[in-house]
Amino acid sequence: MLTITQALVDQIVAHARKDHPDEACGVVAGPTGSDRPERFIPMLNAAMSPTFYEFDSGDLLRLYREMDDRDEEPVVIYHSHTATEAYPSRTDISYANEPGAHYVLVSTADTDGLGEFQFRSFRIVEGEVTEEEVKVVEAY
């Protein structure tokens, strides 16, 4: 289960809406071993595409060095889908290389009639996708 604050959910959704029609992407870092997302880090989609996202390799290297210096790890890795449901694509699955992370997908398309976005979380380990419950809290 992903436990995340409402403030972080709001920041992720705002980023997805701001970058629409391109996919948005980013990380929420947290203390190593805590499984607690704390620090919102929006990233640039280097692909600048409505159907694909890619972290800039230089930005990603700097982010991992910074997290290492702060004893953090990527607790949430997020991106948006602009025209499809919030479910990992084959490409998303092939690029998922953080087995301990929660992969959050936000859809900015109304694909289910429930509103203008979906917010879902998945674990992706060795190509296997498992959806997990998302518990939104005011604070930890």
Side-chain angles (χ1 to χ4, degrees), residues 10 16 70 84 133 136:
D10 292 347
R70 296 170 61 122
T84 59
E133 180 183 345
V136 179

Side-chain angles (χ1 to χ4, degrees), residues 18-125:
K18 180 177 81 61
D19 282 10
H20 185 88
D22 289 338
E23 290 191 3
C25 58
V27 173
V28 183
T32 301
S34 70
D35 197 37
R36 189 175 67 233
E38 291 184 351
R39 188 166 65 95
F40 175 71
I41 308 157
M43 302 284 284
L44 173 68
N45 178 356
M48 301 183 96
S49 167
T51 59
F52 179 74
Y53 83 98
E54 180 177 34
F55 292 118
D56 177 83
S57 58
D59 289 348
L60 198 57
L61 180 60
R62 280 187 292 281
L63 172 63
Y64 271 81
R65 286 181 175 158
E66 181 182 296
M67 286 190 298
D68 191 48
D69 289 346
R70 296 170 61 122
D71 292 322
E72 292 176 328
E73 63 187 358
V75 177
V76 169
I77 298 171
Y78 74 87
H79 77 281
S80 63
H81 283 180
T82 62
T84 59
E85 71 172 320
Y87 190 85
S89 68
R90 280 186 299 236
T91 303
D92 298 338
I93 295 166
S94 70
Y95 285 150
N97 60 2
E98 288 286 351
H102 302 271
Y103 285 87
V104 166
L105 277 99
V106 174
S107 176
T108 55
D110 184 5
T111 58
D112 61 5
L114 297 176
E116 52 188 62
F117 72 90
Q118 299 171 333
F119 187 101
R120 298 167 73 185
S121 183
F122 304 87
R123 294 290 191 156
I124 305 174
V125 180

